[in-house]
Amino acid sequence: MTPLELDDLGVASALPRPGGKDQILGVPYRPVQFLDDDLPSALERAATWLREVEQWLGEAPDVIAVHLDHDETQDSPYFDLTILCNEEDLAGVPIAVRERDAGASRPA
């Protein structure tokens, strides 16, 4: 087995890089998947989940992409709706930052 040589971005060190101002970006995003045979149901669940996350987080979560695919494998849900969300938002970092900032602004 050949060991992988990865750089700080987690991509192969030998990967050709774009030139000039073009670049390979870090991807701090996590996919959230909604599977269903009925697309409107998957979309409704995704919208409900995004509203719940926004309420919990206190701000809209950072979503970079929404991807729709399908799976024709027997006994698998046909639609695969995936939302690519910021990892830090899903970890609650904005909540922790607000709590930290609120604690720092209280008189000692």
Side-chain angles (χ1 to χ4, degrees):
M1 182 178 217
T2 304
L4 295 175
E5 292 183 30
L6 304 177
D7 66 11
D8 293 341
L9 290 174
V11 297
S13 299
L15 177 73
R17 307 302 165 124
K21 293 182 181 180
D22 300 331
Q23 60 183 321
I24 297 172
L25 301 173
V27 184
Y29 289 87
R30 180 173 304 278
V32 180
Q33 189 176 47
F34 299 88
L35 302 173
D36 207 304
D37 287 324
D38 180 58
L39 181 56
S41 295
L43 289 166
E44 288 168 357
R45 288 198 323 276
T48 298
W49 179 79
L50 283 169
R51 285 186 196 99
E52 291 171 354
V53 170
E54 184 172 353
Q55 184 176 17
W56 170 74
L57 197 57
E59 61 187 61
D62 189 10
V63 173
I64 191 172
V66 176
H67 177 77
L68 179 62
D69 204 351
H70 66 277
D71 183 352
E72 295 181 3
T73 308
Q74 188 175 359
D75 298 326
S76 294
Y78 184 73
F79 292 106
D80 176 349
L81 174 66
T82 303
I83 300 173
L84 208 53
C85 298
N86 183 300
E87 272 183 351
E88 292 178 353
D89 286 353
L90 298 189
V93 170
I95 295 169
V97 168
R98 281 194 304 275
E99 289 175 355
R100 180 201 66 203
D101 292 348
S105 64
R106 292 185 195 136

